[in-house]
Amino acid sequence: MSVAEKNIVLHVADVHKHFGGLHALSDIDLEVEEGKTHAIIGPNGAGKSTLLNVIIGKLAPSKGAVVFDGQILTGKKPHEINQMGVVRVFQTPEIFPDLSVLQNVMTPAFAKRDGAYRANIWKPLEAETEIREEAEAILEDVGLHERRDVHAGALSRGDKRRMELAMCLIQHPRLLLLDEPTAGMSRHDTNTTIDLLKKIKARGMTKVIIEHDMHVVFSLADHISVLAGGRIIAEGAPNEVRGNPKVQEAYLGGAHDLGAHSK
Ligand code: ADP
Ligand code: MG
C-alpha cells in the first residue's frame, strides 16, 4: 500500500442540519483531497445546496463542524470564509452590467487589495497595472479576451458564466465550490464549461462540484459522494459509484441509466 499522505483540504465532520423537524442533513462526513474534484450528486431535495451553504458559512450546522486547511470554519461569517480562499462560483455577488468585462474581472482583486491603497499613494497605479495584467491573462484562459471591452450586460449567458468564473479565479481560490455550474446551459456551452473546468483542474485547484448532469460529473470528478434524503449513501471513484445498485435505485429510482450520457 502506498504510504503517500493525503492532504485533506476540507473536512466536513459529523454535520447535521435541521430546518424545524426536517432533517436536511444527517451524519455528513466527507473529506476533500487537495487538487481533486469532489462531486456531490443526488436527487432534488437530497440536501446538496444545504451542504454547500453550510460549507460557505451561509447556514450554521445544527451539529458538527467544517474544517478547512486545519481551521474550523463553523461560526465564521461568509466573507471571512471567502477571505480564507473558499470561493463559490456562479454566485458572484455583484456584476456591473455597464462596466466592461475586463473591469468586472478586475473588481474582486481590487476589493482584496484595498489595504495596499491606503498604505502608499503610489501603490494604486502599480496595483492597477498588476491586476489588469492578471485579469487579461485570466480572460485569455477562459476564452473571453476578445470580448474584454464589451459591456458585461451585453454578454450571452455562456459568456457571462465564463466572466463569473474569471471573477472567481482572480481571487486565487484554494477551494472552488460550484453548485450546478451548467444548469440551464446548452450542450455546447456545457461542453465548453467542462473544458474550462478541466483546464483549472490541470493547475491543481481543489473543487467541490454539485451537479445533476451525469456527463459533467463523469467528465470531471475524481471522487463522488452520493446524497439521498440528507445522508451520504455511497461514495468512491466514479466507476465504483456508477456501478453501485444502491445509487442507481436511490438516486434515479431505477428509471435512468447512470452511464447514459457518459460514453
Ligand atoms: P438539493 O440542493 O439537493 O436539491 P436542498 O439542500 O436545497 O436540496 O434541500 C434539502 C431539503 O431541505 C429540502 O427538503 C428542502 O425543502 C429543505 N430546505 C432547504 N433549505 C431550507 C430552508 N431554508 N428552510 C427550510 N427547509 C429548507
Ligand atoms: Mg440544490
Side-chain angles (χ1 to χ4, degrees):
M1 247 183 61
S2 162
V3 291
E5 241 182 75
K6 281 200 247 175
N7 191 6
I8 302 302
V9 178
L10 182 79
H11 185 192
V12 176
D14 192 27
V15 160
H16 294 241
K17 180 66 189 176
H18 305 161
F19 295 110
L22 178 83
H23 292 218
L25 295 174
S26 307
D27 292 319
I28 303 292
D29 267 293
L30 60 89
E31 290 185 335
V32 177
E33 224 183 303
E34 178 148 47
K36 303 284 188 204
T37 299
H38 191 126
I40 297 168
I41 67 172
N44 267 331
K48 304 180 299 294
S49 295
T50 302
L51 178 56
L52 204 85
N53 284 328
V54 167
I55 294 169
I56 64 172
K58 228 175 113 182
L59 287 174
S62 311
K63 186 180 164 225
V66 178
V67 182
F68 170 70
D69 222 5
Q71 287 184 274
I72 295 174
L73 297 188
T74 310
K76 290 192 194 294
K77 302 231 164 17
H79 77 268
E80 292 170 328
I81 294 173
N82 176 267
Q83 286 287 337
M84 291 167 73
V86 178
V87 176
R88 180 172 181 173
V89 187
F90 303 143
Q91 291 282 320
T92 339
E94 261 184 312
I95 283 172
F96 305 99
D98 297 329
L99 294 184
S100 73
V101 169
L102 178 64
Q103 286 167 326
N104 268 277
V105 175
M106 289 171 72
T107 303
F110 278 124
K112 292 230 150 153
R113 296 200 195 184
D114 201 32
Y117 284 88
R118 289 189 287 265
N120 179 334
I121 57 159
W122 296 111
K123 273 277 195 281
L125 280 174
E126 279 174 33
E128 181 169 347
T129 309
E130 239 174 71
I131 289 171
R132 179 182 299 272
E133 282 169 4
E134 187 177 9
E136 294 218 23
I138 290 172
L139 283 169
E140 191 83 61
D141 272 359
V142 303
L144 264 188
H145 195 253
E146 283 181 6
R147 311 217 73 199
R148 67 191 178 282
D149 296 324
V150 170
H151 284 179
L155 291 179
S156 68
R157 192 187 175 114
D159 281 348
K160 190 162 160 253
R161 288 246 149 152
R162 269 185 269 283
M163 184 184 82
E164 289 168 339
L165 185 59
M167 291 172 80
C168 291
L169 293 179
I170 203 160
Q171 299 177 48
H172 299 284
R174 291 226 37 225
L175 174 67
L176 205 56
L177 301 152
L178 305 103
D179 194 349
E180 304 202 21
T182 63
M185 278 190 184
S186 66
R187 182 49 72 187
H188 172 79
D189 280 341
T190 298
N191 287 335
T192 317
T193 305
I194 293 174
D195 289 343
L196 194 54
L197 294 174
K198 279 184 178 163
K199 202 158 149 185
I200 299 171
K201 183 178 169 175
R203 294 184 188 158
M205 196 177 287
T206 313
K207 296 201 292 299
V208 170
I209 177 167
I210 286 178
E211 185 57 69
H212 251 78
D213 187 327
M214 288 303 126
H215 173 61
V216 177
V217 171
F218 288 111
S219 302
L220 289 171
D222 298 299
H223 192 92
I224 298 177
S225 297
V226 185
L227 262 185
R231 289 178 184 275
I232 293 177
I233 59 155
E235 68 175 304
N239 280 330
E240 291 165 13
V241 167
R242 197 203 306 244
N244 185 331
K246 219 165 65 174
V247 175
Q248 301 259 353
E249 198 187 309
Y251 180 56
L252 298 160
H256 308 265
D257 174 6
L258 261 180
H261 297 294
S262 61
K263 289 172 186 126

